[in-house]
Amino acid sequence: QVQLVESGGGLVQAGGSLRLSCAASGSIFSISVMAWYRQAPGNKREQVAAITSGGSTNYADSVKGRFTISRDNAKNTVYLQMNSLKPEDTAVYYCAALFDPYDSDYDSWGQGTLVTVSS
């Protein structure tokens, strides 16, 4: 079992930056992939970025070049640096952990942190 706690959300003006953090605890050695998802009101949840235990990353087209996912293994923490924020980035952002790299359903989820981008 893995517990995930997100932090760093808030209100920012368009063009601004925020950094989200996700602290993991528990059976962290079981984690193969960490990801950030987001869900805006009325929208489906979408994956924003992911990072493997080996450091490979993947991004949604909508955030490429603006968002960066990274991990600090010593702190068991994954970050999402968000630059050049747009109003359409407004959503609740969730951290998720995947144990089996061949699976598609993430095993553990955080409680979410709200990001609001004003125009």
Side-chain angles (χ1 to χ4, degrees):
Q1 191 75 357
V2 171
Q3 294 76 44
L4 304 173
V5 179
E6 302 100 332
S7 61
L11 174 64
V12 63
Q13 288 189 330
S17 299
L18 279 176
R19 188 177 79 157
L20 306 182
S21 299
C22 173
S25 60
S27 302
I28 57 175
F29 59 87
S30 302
I31 300 173
S32 59
V33 183
M34 294 288 293
W36 286 96
Y37 282 76
R38 69 184 180 187
Q39 186 167 22
N43 289 3
K44 292 172 57 177
R45 186 172 57 190
E46 63 170 343
Q47 188 180 91
V48 174
I51 186 166
T52 69
S53 55
S56 297
T57 59
N58 189 56
Y59 297 92
D61 288 342
S62 58
V63 306
K64 280 181 182 176
R66 299 188 299 122
F67 290 11
T68 302
I69 189 171
S70 62
R71 61 195 298 162
D72 184 333
N73 291 330
K75 296 182 178 179
N76 298 327
T77 300
V78 173
Y79 303 98
L80 185 68
Q81 178 66 44
M82 305 185 294
N83 298 328
S84 302
L85 283 161
K86 305 175 181 180
E88 51 264 43
D89 294 318
T90 295
V92 177
Y93 284 71
Y94 299 90
C95 179
L98 181 69
F99 300 154
D100 183 348
Y102 299 102
D103 197 357
S104 58
D105 294 327
Y106 277 71
D107 301 283
S108 296
W109 293 83
Q111 81 287 353
T113 185
L114 177 62
V115 172
T116 304
V117 184
S118 63
S119 57

